[in-house]
Amino acid sequence: MLDVASSEQVVASIRAAEAETTGEIRVCIESRCSYMDAIDRAVELFIQLGMDRTEHRNGVLLYLALQDHQFAVYGDTSIYKAGGEELWQHAAADLQQQLRTGNVAAGLCACIIEIGVALSRHFPPDPAVEKNELPDEIIFGK
């Protein structure tokens, strides 16, 4: 998993990215995703975490199963209307490269910031929306 300092860097990246958008970014890290595909698990967690209940339906979940070497990026309905996976294809490719070299925290931070930039283009800050609808901490699973 991540050590405390690395976890703090990832949370700081989430906060920095979310400061420029109404979008919400969450990170979930598990050891294994042996019973389903990573995207299926991301969808399941997205709903369990209430990410489908944000005001603008513009949450993004970044899911990693470290021991299985799987990850997925999943966004809510407004994300797909705004361009879907194209919003994070480059970020996902960069993350995949970083994960291959063992740079989990650096890869996550860079991916989060890049997703935040994409979100800010489509979902700029709105003072009428609560600044932070979902917690920023990393979810560590099984």
Side-chain angles (χ1 to χ4, degrees), residues 14-141:
I14 292 169
R15 290 182 178 142
E18 288 182 354
E20 303 301 321
T21 180
T22 58
E24 292 288 330
I25 302 169
R26 301 222 50 201
V27 173
C28 180
I29 301 173
E30 296 181 323
S31 297
R32 305 204 67 100
C33 182
S34 57
Y35 66 96
M36 62 175 56
D37 184 66
I39 194 69
D40 293 335
R41 179 66 175 147
V43 171
E44 178 181 70
L45 287 166
F46 191 89
I47 293 166
Q48 284 178 5
L49 296 169
M51 293 185 69
D52 59 334
R53 295 189 298 262
T54 61
E55 184 172 343
H56 291 289
R57 300 294 303 261
N58 57 359
V60 176
L61 176 64
L62 183 51
Y63 171 78
L64 278 80
L66 293 175
Q67 289 184 357
D68 290 333
H69 306 285
Q70 293 188 57
F71 78 94
V73 182
Y74 182 77
D76 208 340
T77 56
S78 291
I79 302 293
Y80 288 98
K81 289 177 185 172
E85 294 174 7
E86 291 178 18
L87 295 179
W88 59 69
Q89 283 179 337
H90 185 262
D94 288 348
L95 174 60
Q96 186 174 32
Q97 184 61 36
Q98 291 289 340
L99 292 174
R100 283 186 181 137
T101 60
N103 297 323
V104 176
L108 281 172
C109 291
C111 186
I112 290 163
I113 294 301
E114 195 166 335
I115 290 170
V117 169
L119 287 173
S120 70
R121 285 193 297 267
H122 297 280
F123 308 100
D126 180 353
V129 176
E130 183 182 326
K131 270 294 193 201
N132 199 9
E133 294 181 84
L134 299 170
D136 295 333
E137 78 269 358
I138 301 168
I139 300 108
F140 291 100

